[in-house]
Amino acid sequence: MPDSTSLPSAPLLTVEQLVVEYPVSGRTLSAVADVSLTVGRGETLGLVGESGCGKSTLGRAVLQLRRPTAGKVVFDGADLTALDGEALRLMRRRLQLIFQDPIASLNPRRCIGDIVAEPLVISGITDRTERERRVRDVLSAVGLDPDVVWRRLPHEFSGGQCQRVCIARALILEPELVICDEPVSALDVSIRAQILNLLEEMKQRYGLTLLFIAHDLAVVKAVSDRIAVMYLGRLCEVGPTEAVFNRPAHPYTALLLEAIPVPDPTVMPATNIATGEPPSPLDPPSGCRFRTRCPRADRLCAEKVPILHATAGGQAVACHHPLTG
Amino acid sequence: MAVLELEGDTAAVSPVRQSGRRLGGLFVAALLWIVLIGLAAILANVLPIVSPTDMDFLGKRAPPSAAHLLGTDQLGRDMLSRLIYGARISLTVGLLSPVIGLVIGGALGMLAGYFGGRFEALTVGGVDVLLAFPPLVFALAVTAYLGQSALNITLVIGVLSIPAFTRVARAVTLSLAQREFVVAAQTLGATHMRILLRELLPNVALPLMAFFLLAVAVTIVVEGALSFLGLGVPPPAPSWGSMIGEGRESLDIAPWLAFLPAGFMFVTVLAFNVIGDTLRALTDPRPGAL
Amino acid sequence: MTRALLSLEDVSVELPTPRGTLRAVDNVDLSLMPGRTLGIVGESGCGKTMLSRAILQLLPKRAKLSGRVRFGGRDLAALPAESLRRLRGPELAVVFQDPMTSLNPVLTIGTQLIETLQAHLGMDGAAAARRSVDLLAAVGIPAPAQRLRQYPHQLSGGMRQRVAIAIALSCEPKLLVADEPTTALDVTVQAQILDLLAREQRRRQMAMILITHDLGVVAGRTDEVAVMYAGRIVERAPTAQLFARMRMPYTEALLAAIPKLDSPPHTALPAIAGRPPDPTRPLPGCSFSPRCRYADDHCRHAKPMLADPERSGGLYACWHPLTLPAAVGP
């Protein structure tokens, strides 16, 4: 795997100062606040955070499924936020999304064969034999027997199988970037491992770049080259996976690592995990948004919003009192 | 790698529906009645029955006999024949009117639910206005200006049924439009038209069809009521509603003049309701329990 | 020897479905001593939820329960409805996965707590209100007095679950059944809730059954773990022993399939191929055999029974149990 601290080529995706806000009964919900990150060609960037941190919103904003309030999304040199209508539709083939709920992502009234062939039809491939060949190829690639699944409807399959169908549908046009939005959270443990392995395999086979969004740190660690940690709409820390896990710089990252239940009875679970719950994104704390739960918070944290800056360990952290560097 | 998971795993793929077991006897009976009355109405001209307008002054309000299987009405006309020709009117209006509602209301509702925003607000507002308009006044106005005929009745009831269809279509579309498979289609670059036709319509169609059958039932009653009030199909063409109206005067001496058409209407409406309900239950694509 | 608080003897649950009879729980034996915690681990469809319903006598109407569920010596299935109702609360309590469905959305938190106290402990309104505030504070809800007047939808998921726990604990039950209590919650909130449960359990000397799909959750917080697969218990042992010397290949595979924090990225996960069997078509042999690395013909034809041949206190149901490389053969 490439050493991702020095990206060999220009990044495939650059998000610049992205802001996503929307009105909720008279007030403004700040879902994503000034997030900038890059994803290099061929790498997997893991985006991790708990519910309400804005990671899913960020994923959709990158794809322009939800138009950002401000900021730019540059994909292979093209600014997606400036695209519209037909141009955007054409660009869509190169960026795909895999959803959290595999069964809800499939039209309950269409058979698997049609569902997977749909992207080809939309891009104007009219030759039926060609379509059939490509659908068969991709279905086999994800581990499903085309002859068995072609005519069946989604509700006849399990969650894991549906997720394979979703992956097949996302890959049939051979996109360059695939955003995986909690692709395994709704699946059982043993199926999770299958799907994660499948994603890695597909990444190798199709030369994909992945933006992997999840709340489970262990899952994200298993697949990512670099990790970005989000809290309440802002980035806390970004860096190579091993570095972030072994030497977390941001107190929130440390908190997340402590809270994960470890399947080893000799490891005592940490008690007295940081008190309280995340504040509401409708009314985020001033300055650093994590300060209400941070043991290191002081007056500076309430006054100034911390900016991402480099640490000695090679990560970027947004904290006035980081744990390292 | 877990290749070909479904190999030998066909047992784990659930069969689509156990339709046979859930179709009750009531459904079959309802279906039989509709088929029977429908065929009779279509083939009325070739059936060996008397003309519904032939009056037999000597045999007014006669009880059932060999010549007149269900008796005669107050003008000596054959009841059975009038009932069958009346079925024509009821079924024609009953089936065609809701089609107007289905097509126009369904389309409006789907578009409103999908696009939202100002279009939705306008549609909902417009439909509310139509709903608030007193239906009888509307019927009176149309018949006064355009005259009474089966066609006009069909139009009147059809237009009046648009709001209900719009609401159903919009509600179903709203519940679907946020579902991930629609977002997935957008991610793939599908045009709005494609999403509406290929993703949403197949899912909206079935609830709408079930509602359609219930609307047929209601329309038959409404047509009957309008004819009863004299606003429907003009005499001498028989309609179940006008037959009930005419039979009203003879309730004490020949009650079957009113009860027979009422009975036919009752059974037909019930049959459509049963079919509509059963279809709605059957076409839910989610399998039961596990 | 103290009597077991809860004991399940040969419990099975059958459900009629359009596709045939489904054996959701298949001949389960379990016992739980007062004050101890049992973890039940399994993936979806393994029958753990039906098992918890069987213990609580909350099975759906069409379900058929066979075997005996004894609580405090009494057979729960044989109890009249009124006696069973009186058991719930002071003796037997439950916390479900989704607090939004276990809390009544149209009643305030206070009403739900106070009603429980009044119904089961016969307290009067004022005493119940005071105790409710104490309970909410004990489960870590800030500003408890104000919360009494709030509705469930005004609280976050973690808060709602705390309220559900407060209601469950309000009558000082002897046994608390927690069915996936933290699955729907964020990882930091999950840790807090599990801590809370452990703390309250120690304080009240309460027995607890913790049902989950996450081996990590049971690792540090239970005395004993039972692993379920396809309706049966396939391995049961004291927690430390289970993790140190697991015998059932399924348990090993389950543990291996969890991505570990300390392994480097891009390590291929040893996934378990295939899927659990269709519960309406049970296999003649071991249910795990189609997916097991070590399975042979004997496994496919003969069903292994849960037993403890090594007399180590750990039971398993396997013809070819795992042995540690360094262990001497039996």
Side-chain angles (χ1 to χ4, degrees):
Chain A
M1 285 297 110
D3 173 10
S4 30
T5 46
S6 54
L7 298 169
S9 48
L12 181 63
L13 178 74
T14 311
V15 174
E16 286 173 31
Q17 294 164 316
L18 200 68
V19 177
V20 181
E21 288 172 354
Y22 43 93
V24 168
S25 45
R27 298 155 74 183
T28 314
L29 193 146
S30 164
V32 177
D34 196 14
V35 166
S36 304
L37 44 80
T38 59
V39 186
R41 214 174 269 280
E43 80 163 337
T44 302
L45 175 68
L47 185 56
V48 82
E50 295 178 295
S51 51
C53 71
K55 56 193 192 298
S56 288
T57 312
L58 179 63
R60 297 195 183 206
V62 165
L63 289 179
Q64 307 300 306
L65 288 172
R66 179 185 280 287
R67 291 290 197 172
T69 319
K72 278 179 21 169
V73 176
V74 181
F75 176 75
D76 197 18
D79 183 359
L80 296 181
T81 44
L83 286 183
D84 206 333
E86 190 64 17
L88 184 60
R89 267 195 347 101
L90 285 173
M91 192 58 111
R92 286 213 187 285
R93 292 171 210 170
R94 303 169 64 192
L95 306 107
Q96 281 301 304
L97 179 58
I98 294 174
F99 300 83
Q100 176 172 357
D101 186 348
I103 300 180
S105 314
L106 302 175
N107 188 333
R109 294 210 177 275
R110 298 185 75 184
C111 68
I112 302 297
D114 279 349
I115 290 176
V116 179
E118 180 77 359
L120 298 175
V121 175
I122 294 176
S123 12
I125 297 181
T126 45
D127 183 1
R128 296 195 76 179
T129 359
E130 170 72 12
R131 285 209 300 259
E132 186 174 328
R133 184 186 65 79
R134 287 176 71 164
V135 171
R136 287 182 152 271
D137 267 348
V138 79
L139 281 174
S140 306
V142 301
L144 293 173
D145 183 349
D147 292 311
V148 177
V149 309
W150 197 289
R151 297 240 163 283
R152 295 208 144 114
L153 296 177
H155 68 86
E156 300 179 59
F157 296 98
S158 69
Q161 289 165 320
C162 283
Q163 195 61 301
R164 287 175 194 266
V165 173
C166 292
I167 293 173
R169 176 178 63 183
L171 295 180
I172 195 167
L173 283 178
E174 298 184 21
E176 289 159 61
L177 174 70
V178 178
I179 300 185
C180 306
D181 189 357
E182 307 257 22
V184 294
S185 312
L187 304 174
D188 270 329
V189 172
S190 54
I191 310 293
R192 243 177 242 195
Q194 288 178 18
I195 299 294
L196 287 175
N197 287 348
L198 177 66
L199 281 171
E200 287 272 26
E201 200 188 313
M202 295 294 106
K203 180 184 162 180
Q204 297 298 322
R205 180 175 171 141
Y206 288 91
L208 303 170
T209 304
L210 295 183
L211 176 59
F212 195 97
I213 301 174
H215 64 267
D216 187 336
L217 269 176
V219 165
V220 170
K221 184 182 188 195
V223 298
S224 311
D225 300 305
R226 284 192 309 139
I227 300 243
V229 181
M230 271 184 87
Y231 183 81
L232 221 58
R234 288 193 191 273
L235 280 179
C236 296
E237 184 167 354
V238 186
T241 309
E242 292 273 27
V244 172
F245 275 81
N246 294 336
R247 290 177 307 280
H250 197 285
Y252 178 59
T253 316
L255 169 64
L256 277 181
L257 287 169
E258 253 179 44
I260 298 174
V262 177
D264 182 349
T266 57
V267 174
M268 283 317 295
T271 47
N272 295 321
I273 304 292
T275 52
E277 305 201 338
S280 160
L282 277 170
D283 191 16
S286 61
C288 173
R289 293 183 173 190
F290 185 60
R291 64 177 172 79
T292 54
R293 300 169 77 193
C294 183
R296 301 161 80 95
D298 64 10
R299 227 188 52 203
L300 174 62
C301 304
E303 290 168 5
K304 258 184 71 175
V305 176
I307 314 284
L308 273 177
H309 62 269
T311 66
Q315 294 125 280
V317 67
C319 181
H320 295 301
H321 310 290
L323 296 171
T324 60
Chain B
M1 186 175 87
V3 185
L4 307 177
E5 282 185 328
L6 288 187
E7 219 180 74
D9 215 8
T10 45
V13 180
S14 58
V16 181
R17 290 193 287 282
Q18 296 291 317
S19 337
R21 252 174 265 183
R22 277 152 80 179
L23 286 181
L26 197 58
F27 177 80
V28 176
L31 199 58
L32 275 175
W33 171 263
I34 298 291
V35 168
L36 197 66
I37 197 95
L39 278 175
I42 296 172
L43 301 171
N45 289 333
V46 302
L47 281 177
I49 48 174
V50 202
S51 160
T53 45
D54 275 355
M55 293 183 267
D56 180 1
F57 285 106
L58 298 175
K60 290 191 222 178
R61 300 195 191 91
S65 64
H68 301 283
L69 286 171
L70 286 176
T72 58
D73 71 352
Q74 72 281 10
L75 291 178
R77 296 176 291 198
D78 180 47
M79 282 298 285
L80 178 62
S81 166
R82 283 184 71 81
L83 284 169
I84 291 177
Y85 276 87
R88 264 195 177 180
I89 307 280
S90 292
L91 288 177
T92 311
V93 177
L95 285 168
L96 285 181
S97 280
V99 167
I100 297 176
L102 177 69
V103 170
I104 300 179
L108 278 177
M110 266 183 70
L111 290 170
Y114 181 70
F115 287 109
R118 246 177 292 185
F119 179 76
E120 182 182 22
L122 270 172
T123 312
V124 170
V127 150
D128 276 347
V129 167
L130 193 54
L131 203 55
F133 207 91
L136 275 181
V137 173
F138 183 64
L140 269 171
V142 169
T143 51
Y145 279 109
L146 300 176
Q148 280 178 264
S149 71
L151 176 65
N152 292 345
I153 280 297
T154 307
L155 281 173
V156 166
I157 303 181
V159 168
L160 288 173
S161 72
I162 290 177
F165 278 97
T166 309
R167 286 208 166 153
V168 172
R170 176 171 160 257
V172 178
T173 308
L174 279 175
S175 73
L176 291 171
Q178 293 310 311
R179 291 269 296 276
E180 268 132 338
F181 71 88
V182 174
V183 181
Q186 288 168 337
T187 330
L188 294 171
T191 54
H192 288 309
M193 190 50 66
R194 190 168 179 90
I195 294 179
L196 280 166
L197 288 176
R198 300 288 272 168
E199 307 289 341
L200 288 172
L201 187 59
N203 286 288
V204 176
L206 276 151
L208 271 182
M209 281 312 295
F211 186 74
F212 173 81
L213 285 166
L214 299 176
V216 169
V218 171
T219 306
I220 294 177
V221 174
V222 170
E223 181 273 324
L226 286 175
S227 298
F228 176 86
L229 292 173
L231 292 170
V233 182
S239 152
W240 289 342
S242 55
M243 285 168 75
I244 299 175
E246 290 162 9
R248 212 171 38 153
E249 313 150 345
S250 322
L251 268 178
D252 40 355
I253 37 173
W256 64 85
L257 294 189
F259 289 158
L260 275 174
F264 265 57
M265 189 186 289
F266 170 74
V267 177
T268 310
V269 167
L270 185 61
F272 273 109
N273 271 316
V274 167
I275 297 178
D277 264 348
T278 314
L279 275 177
R280 193 181 38 80
L282 276 183
T283 55
D284 190 341
R286 288 188 302 277
L290 310 169
Chain C
M1 191 176 85
T2 33
R3 188 177 54 188
L5 179 64
L6 174 75
S7 97
L8 272 67
E9 294 158 26
D10 207 22
V11 168
S12 298
V13 176
E14 281 186 339
L15 283 168
T17 67
R19 283 188 285 138
T21 309
L22 191 155
R23 215 165 159 74
V25 177
D26 190 7
N27 301 103
V28 163
D29 289 303
L30 266 186
S31 65
L32 184 61
M33 293 306 216
R36 309 273 287 165
T37 309
L38 169 69
I40 299 183
V41 179
E43 299 176 288
S44 55
C46 73
K48 59 190 193 295
T49 302
M50 275 298 155
L51 182 62
S52 72
R53 299 278 184 274
I55 295 172
L56 297 163
Q57 296 294 301
L58 287 175
L59 289 168
K61 282 205 181 63
R62 330 159 276 155
K64 209 163 64 83
L65 172 70
S66 48
R68 252 174 261 309
V69 178
R70 282 195 208 283
F71 182 74
R74 285 174 291 177
D75 182 354
L76 289 182
L79 282 181
E82 182 56 28
S83 312
L84 197 56
R85 196 191 66 76
R86 273 187 268 126
L87 261 181
R88 296 213 186 93
E91 308 249 347
L92 195 55
V94 62
V95 177
F96 293 107
Q97 174 175 347
D98 184 358
M100 213 41 197
T101 52
S102 50
L103 293 177
N104 189 330
V106 300
L107 293 178
T108 60
I109 309 287
T111 312
Q112 300 188 49
L113 264 170
I114 293 172
E115 268 181 8
T116 311
L117 290 168
Q118 285 177 318
H120 289 283
L121 297 181
M123 284 185 163
D124 68 71
R130 277 195 303 275
R131 178 135 168 77
S132 302
V133 173
D134 289 338
L135 277 166
L136 288 179
V139 297
I141 292 184
Q146 278 91 306
R147 303 286 182 188
L148 286 184
R149 284 192 296 274
Q150 284 189 323
Y151 289 88
H153 69 264
Q154 295 174 279
L155 304 178
S156 69
M159 287 289 171
R160 289 200 286 261
Q161 199 63 305
R162 288 173 197 267
V163 171
I165 292 173
I167 295 178
L169 296 176
S170 60
C171 305
E172 310 271 332
K174 298 215 187 70
L175 170 64
L176 176 67
V177 177
D179 189 351
E180 307 245 31
T182 55
T183 306
L185 304 173
D186 274 327
V187 81
T188 49
V189 180
Q190 170 171 300
Q192 293 171 5
I193 298 289
L194 290 172
D195 276 346
L196 168 65
L197 283 173
R199 216 172 46 230
E200 290 303 310
Q201 192 227 348
R202 272 194 305 271
R203 215 156 58 87
R204 297 155 191 263
Q205 292 295 299
M206 187 176 67
M208 188 160 76
I209 296 183
L210 191 54
I211 300 172
T212 174
H213 64 271
D214 190 346
L215 271 172
V217 163
V218 296
R221 304 176 196 274
T222 53
D223 299 308
E224 200 183 22
V225 175
V227 179
M228 277 190 84
Y229 185 80
R232 318 185 93 210
I233 295 196
V234 294
E235 185 158 10
R236 192 174 99 222
T239 310
Q241 187 180 330
L242 186 98
F243 281 89
R245 286 189 298 278
M246 52 185 61
R247 292 273 178 264
M248 187 50 190
Y250 174 61
T251 316
E252 178 199 53
L254 200 57
L255 190 56
I258 302 175
K260 305 290 179 302
L261 270 186
D262 43 11
S263 33
H266 303 294
T267 332
L269 295 162
I272 317 176
R275 294 161 54 220
D278 182 350
T280 54
R281 283 167 182 71
L283 299 170
C286 171
S287 309
F288 188 58
S289 51
R291 307 168 76 189
C292 182
R293 288 198 288 168
Y294 311 101
D296 62 13
D297 259 350
H298 184 49
C299 300
R300 283 185 261 276
H301 290 110
K303 215 182 242 315
M305 291 295 144
L306 192 66
D308 183 9
E310 294 164 37
R311 302 211 191 292
S312 61
L315 296 96
Y316 51 88
C318 183
W319 296 122
H320 304 292
L322 308 167
T323 45
L324 290 177
V328 180

